[in-house]
Amino acid sequence: MSNAGQLVVYLLCLLTSATCAGLLLRNYIKIRTRFLLSCATCFTMLTLNNFMVLMDLILLPAMDLLPYRHMAALAGICVLLVGFILDVE
């Protein structure tokens, strides 16, 4: 796949996760449930991860952001997991 094709795919992934985070945050502001907050935080961290993928692989290929990408993804999944555990009633 060419650089332009990769850029389009990574941008679409970034926009999708940012849209999900935004919609979840908007719903959290209306409803105020802890589970929506954990989901919104998870998608915010996944958006950060997608942004770092774009930076790492396309815009700044000389820099290695892999550990930071993994930390952002792990933080998002951990927040979601804690949200699942705390939401069980």
Side-chain angles (χ1 to χ4, degrees), residues 7-32:
L7 179 65
V8 168
V9 169
Y10 294 141
L11 279 175
L12 287 174
C13 290
L14 176 67
L15 290 174
T16 302
S17 60
T19 302
C20 288
L23 290 172
L24 286 165
L25 279 172
R26 185 181 71 179
N27 246 358
Y28 170 72
I29 291 170
K30 290 179 186 176
I31 300 174
R32 297 281 182 182

Side-chain angles (χ1 to χ4, degrees), residues 61-80:
M63 293 181 65
D64 184 24
L65 298 176
L66 186 65
Y68 303 108
R69 289 173 20 207
H70 286 300
M71 282 190 286
L74 180 64
I77 298 302
C78 286
V79 166
L80 187 62

Side-chain angles (χ1 to χ4, degrees), residues 16-54:
T16 302
S17 60
T19 302
C20 288
L23 290 172
L24 286 165
L25 279 172
R26 185 181 71 179
N27 246 358
Y28 170 72
I29 291 170
K30 290 179 186 176
I31 300 174
R32 297 281 182 182
T33 61
R34 184 173 41 194
F35 186 65
L36 275 175
L37 179 61
S38 64
C39 289
T41 305
C42 173
F43 271 94
T44 302
M45 297 308 261
L46 292 177
T47 301
L48 178 64
N49 180 34
N50 284 330
F51 178 72
M52 285 192 279
V53 167
L54 181 69

